Amino acid sequence: MPQFTTENAFAQVPFYFIENHLPKANATFVKIYIYLLMLAQKNVRKSFKEIAETLGILESDLVNAADYWQEAGFIIADGENLHFVNPSTKGAPATSDLTQGELSEPQSVAEAITENRELSDMFMFAQEILGKTITEKDMQTIYWFYQDLKMPIEVILLLIEYCVSKGKNRISYIEKVAVSWNEMGLNNVEAVTNYLKSEEQKTGFLYSVRRLMGIADRSLSQIEEQYLTKWHSEFLMSEEMIALAYEYCIIQTAKLSFPYMDKIISRWNSEGIRTVSEAEADNKKFKNRARSKDTAFSGNSYDSDSLERLTRNKKND
């Protein structure tokens, strides 16, 4: 029988991960998790691009894996930073101060369903939307939305539909969204409907701009999405304005550069420039000022064509 030994320099993978997620998780996601865990334990900072190149994978796979492990409870995102936790540990930090606490006892859930026909119908519809049989634990969690988060039945069903539309039908993910909605005050149909419309517009905008920039085949990094959200939601710039900024960026740098585009769009915002015609006129003025500076620097009023003619005449003499 072989003996297994180790040295101190190793990444500590939680037993809970090995026992409950290693057998069923995507192999690439497991590979990414272990590598990211090693970076976290060594306190190393690396960009998603650098990590993807090191592992020989697409950056979009890395983003999807990070999302997957967040949903599974192993990673907590704090802005651009990722914090690794063990979801099986009782003292592990949570994504919100509002946690489920003790679930309702199965018997009380069953009694509530028996006494309330609307609740019974809600679970039936929820099961149809999820496309799978709801477990007893799932029922307790959904009932917690109703009992403790005070979510109306209509809102709970909208919540489940929203998550499924994003390709997420795990109750653990739906629970996190429910907590987020509760914190945002989305506790009635009107508020949720308005929020979903806003999210739909945002998603459509992000896809449209990604297609414009030729990156529709990959996911946006967190920083890239922050830039686009700022330009669209904070600066209220249209797609046409962002397209123009992208065009100027390519002309000057020959590549996509979000920081460079941000300088252009931030200047437009500070100058109150909101239309393509205003931006083009501003660009023309900028070029004219640049030419004037070049002329002043030359020490005379000749333009480049005049200087060239003078040079040729001197040669002929």
Side-chain angles (χ1 to χ4, degrees):
M1 182 178 295
Q3 179 181 358
F4 298 93
T5 61
T6 184
E7 298 179 357
N8 290 330
F10 59 88
Q12 298 181 14
V13 180
F15 291 154
Y16 182 79
F17 168 85
I18 297 172
E19 294 171 350
N20 297 279
H21 290 270
L22 182 62
K24 62 183 180 182
N26 179 290
T28 301
F29 287 5
V30 172
K31 170 183 175 180
I32 292 170
Y33 172 81
I34 294 174
Y35 186 78
L36 293 181
L37 182 63
M38 182 269 293
L39 294 180
Q41 292 180 2
K42 292 176 68 175
N43 196 26
V44 174
R45 298 183 68 89
K46 272 192 175 185
S47 69
F48 271 20
K49 182 179 180 181
E50 291 174 316
I51 295 170
E53 290 176 351
T54 300
L55 296 179
I57 60 175
L58 297 174
E59 191 171 342
S60 59
D61 288 337
L62 180 56
V63 173
N64 291 334
D67 289 342
Y68 176 85
W69 294 120
Q70 283 185 64
E71 294 171 22
F74 286 91
I75 295 177
I76 295 175
D78 179 16
E80 297 177 359
N81 301 318
L82 299 178
H83 180 62
F84 281 74
V85 297
N86 184 354
S88 68
T89 304
K90 292 182 179 180
T95 54
S96 170
D97 292 334
L98 180 58
T99 56
Q100 192 173 148
E102 294 184 2
L103 289 168
S104 304
E105 292 296 327
Q107 185 177 358
S108 65
V109 176
E111 289 175 353
I113 293 174
T114 302
E115 296 172 2
N116 189 328
R117 177 60 183 274
E118 290 184 348
L119 277 177
S120 176
D121 291 342
M122 178 190 73
F123 281 108
M124 180 183 69
F125 289 131
Q127 190 163 267
E128 291 179 359
I129 296 169
L130 290 168
K132 64 179 183 179
T133 302
I134 297 178
T135 66
E136 192 173 87
K137 185 178 179 181
D138 292 344
M139 292 180 66
Q140 294 175 54
T141 303
I142 295 173
Y143 184 66
W144 177 76
F145 302 162
Y146 174 80
Q147 184 184 47
D148 292 10
L149 295 187
K150 307 302 179 185
M151 276 189 169
I153 290 174
E154 295 83 356
V155 171
I156 293 174
L157 293 176
L158 285 172
L159 165 71
I160 296 173
E161 286 181 348
Y162 169 73
C163 293
V164 170
S165 71
K166 294 174 69 68
K168 315 287 187 181
N169 70 344
R170 290 191 294 274
I171 296 298
S172 59
Y173 176 86
I174 296 173
E175 178 187 346
K176 291 178 182 179
V177 177
V179 171
S180 176
W181 282 17
N182 183 78
E183 292 174 342
M184 291 189 292
L186 303 178
N187 52 12
N188 61 73
V189 174
E190 182 179 0
V192 170
T193 301
N194 291 335
Y195 170 76
L196 294 180
K197 286 181 179 178
S198 174
E199 283 293 292
E200 185 178 355
Q201 291 173 354
K202 176 184 173 183
T203 303
F205 165 78
L206 292 177
Y207 176 75
S208 178
V209 174
R210 281 166 53 207
R211 186 175 57 182
L212 161 76
M213 296 177 178
I215 56 173
D217 58 341
R218 70 166 176 84
S219 300
L220 292 169
S221 68
Q222 289 184 341
I223 294 177
E224 289 173 339
E225 186 166 342
Q226 287 171 9
Y227 275 128
L228 290 174
T229 300
K230 180 176 74 170
W231 301 339
H232 182 62
S233 302
E234 184 180 337
F235 292 171
L236 303 179
M237 292 293 174
S238 65
E239 290 181 24
E240 290 77 12
M241 291 292 284
I242 295 174
L244 184 61
Y246 172 69
E247 181 182 331
Y248 289 161
C249 173
I250 295 298
I251 291 172
Q252 292 298 321
T253 68
K255 65 179 181 179
L256 170 61
S257 171
F258 279 85
Y260 188 91
M261 289 179 62
D262 186 58
K263 290 181 181 179
I264 296 173
I265 296 174
S266 295
R267 182 181 175 283
W268 287 345
N269 181 66
S270 64
E271 296 292 329
I273 297 171
R274 287 288 180 273
T275 66
V276 171
S277 59
E278 290 174 344
E280 289 176 339
D282 177 74
N283 185 54
K284 188 175 181 180
K285 289 179 182 178
F286 177 81
K287 287 182 177 180
N288 289 336
R289 286 197 298 269
R291 290 194 188 99
S292 298
K293 289 181 180 179
D294 290 342
T295 302
F297 180 76
S298 68
N300 55 56
S301 59
Y302 290 114
D303 59 22
S304 58
D305 291 338
S306 299
L307 288 172
E308 187 178 348
R309 286 195 298 272
L310 285 171
T311 301
R312 285 201 301 269
N313 292 334
K314 287 182 178 180
K315 287 182 179 179
N316 293 332
D317 292 343

